[in-house]
Amino acid sequence: MASKAVKTVAKAVSEYQYPWKEKLAKHKNELSRGVWGYWNLGAWKPLHISGRRRARLRKEVLLAGEDWPYDPERKEMRTKMKGHKCDRISAERRANTAKLMEQMPEMLLAYKKRRWEKKMKEEDKNK
């Protein structure tokens, strides 16, 4: 008989372990002010509910399938890449170098032609 009473009490306690609806109603005004606290008349006021209890309440609400509108908006992701730039672009530079090396004979001929024309101009000028 006593074990039956203990089982019913244990069942009632497990079902009513954390009353999130009452807690949410109690702290609704406080949670809407901010995640960590808020400014009031030039002074920072922390929330009356601790971060651990706030997280537990949030978890219970989300597990129950309800919406939790008190999270701060997500910031934009960083677009800056990590690592050294030279390591990231080395393959691109090698491909560009190979392409330029194929054009090297024409480039050398053009350079020699320009130098020859400049030399000829200076000789004509000196005469």
Side-chain angles (χ1 to χ4, degrees), residues 63-127:
L63 283 175
E66 299 291 323
D67 187 36
W68 182 260
Y70 305 112
D71 281 338
E73 57 276 350
R74 298 290 298 250
K75 292 184 179 176
E76 195 174 309
M77 286 185 65
R78 277 184 69 198
T79 55
K80 187 175 179 182
M81 299 175 78
K82 288 194 170 188
H84 295 283
K85 184 177 178 181
C86 61
D87 296 336
R88 289 195 306 267
I89 64 170
S90 60
E92 187 178 315
R93 290 184 66 165
R94 280 194 296 269
N96 189 30
T97 303
K99 186 177 77 171
L100 288 173
M101 289 305 286
E102 290 173 3
Q103 299 172 355
M104 189 58 74
E106 296 93 39
M107 292 170 72
L108 285 173
L109 287 173
Y111 172 71
K112 287 179 182 177
K113 185 178 178 185
R114 280 195 317 269
R115 296 281 295 185
W116 184 79
E117 288 174 352
K118 185 178 178 185
K119 184 179 176 185
M120 292 296 119
K121 262 189 184 177
E122 285 181 8
E123 284 183 4
D124 289 342
K125 196 182 212 183
N126 289 336
K127 283 185 180 181

Side-chain angles (χ1 to χ4, degrees), residues 27 30 38 46-50:
H27 296 290
E30 192 78 13
Y38 56 94
L47 294 182
H48 294 293
I49 185 170
S50 70

Side-chain angles (χ1 to χ4, degrees), residues 14-76:
S14 67
E15 288 177 1
Y16 195 73
Q17 193 169 16
Y18 192 73
W20 63 267
K21 287 186 181 181
E22 291 88 10
K23 295 281 186 184
L24 186 63
K26 180 180 175 185
H27 296 290
K28 189 179 243 21
N29 187 25
E30 192 78 13
L31 290 169
S32 65
R33 291 184 173 171
V35 179
W36 300 280
Y38 56 94
W39 289 97
N40 185 19
L41 301 174
W44 178 257
K45 299 264 185 175
L47 294 182
H48 294 293
I49 185 170
S50 70
R52 180 175 60 87
R53 293 205 172 101
R54 180 188 180 280
R56 185 173 178 194
L57 178 62
R58 179 182 181 274
K59 180 177 148 186
E60 292 290 327
V61 169
L62 293 176
L63 283 175
E66 299 291 323
D67 187 36
W68 182 260
Y70 305 112
D71 281 338
E73 57 276 350
R74 298 290 298 250
K75 292 184 179 176
E76 195 174 309

